Amino acid sequence: MVRERFAETQKKFIRGILFIIAITLSIVFIFGDHGLLQLYKLKKERSEIQKHISKLRENREQLISEKNRLENDLEYIEKLAREKYRMAKPGEKVFKVIPKQNNQDSNK
């Protein structure tokens, strides 16, 4: 009878120890430095970095296209000079259009 109680107590003690070890391993597996939570964060960060890289690649392609146009397309260069820098050919006059103000603004 005493042996049965001792064996029963020993079984409960071993189950308790195994349960504590299982919980500890689960916590380490989920929240540890190489756990599932860290893995999720790294995957999310990797996805954001991949998106940023693709945007930079698109921007690079646009800049290369713009560079080629500036080197080779005289009409494009002329258009930029006229619109952006308000340049004109000799003998041309450039007119600046001023938007009409509202009646409330002119009364003040």
Side-chain angles (χ1 to χ4, degrees):
M1 185 165 187
V2 173
R3 284 187 166 209
E4 290 176 8
R5 282 189 178 177
F6 180 73
E8 185 73 26
T9 306
Q10 193 174 18
K11 284 181 183 179
K12 286 183 181 180
F13 180 73
I14 291 173
R15 285 182 192 156
I17 295 291
L18 290 176
F19 180 74
I20 290 173
I21 290 172
I23 293 294
T24 304
L25 289 175
S26 297
I27 290 172
V28 169
F29 182 69
I30 294 173
F31 298 108
D33 289 341
H34 302 288
L36 292 177
L37 192 61
Q38 185 69 18
L39 181 65
Y40 173 75
K41 287 179 184 178
L42 290 174
K43 282 186 178 182
K44 185 176 178 184
E45 183 179 347
R46 180 177 184 227
S47 172
E48 291 172 3
I49 290 171
Q50 290 290 348
K51 288 177 186 176
H52 184 68
I53 288 171
S54 66
K55 286 180 184 177
L56 289 174
R57 284 184 179 152
E58 289 175 10
N59 189 20
R60 181 176 176 260
E61 291 299 320
Q62 289 174 351
L63 291 173
I64 289 172
S65 172
E66 178 79 10
K67 177 185 168 235
N68 288 336
R69 286 185 78 185
L70 287 171
E71 289 176 346
N72 302 318
D73 191 355
L74 295 177
E75 292 177 4
Y76 180 69
I77 294 170
E78 182 180 343
K79 178 184 173 196
L80 273 181
R82 290 175 177 272
E83 292 176 359
K84 194 171 184 179
Y85 301 108
R86 300 180 193 264
M87 297 176 106
K89 290 182 180 178
E92 284 185 337
K93 293 182 181 179
V94 178
F95 295 96
K96 183 177 181 181
V97 179
I98 301 173
K100 186 177 181 180
Q101 295 180 349
N102 294 338
N103 289 336
Q104 295 174 354
D105 292 340
S106 61
N107 290 337
K108 290 184 180 178

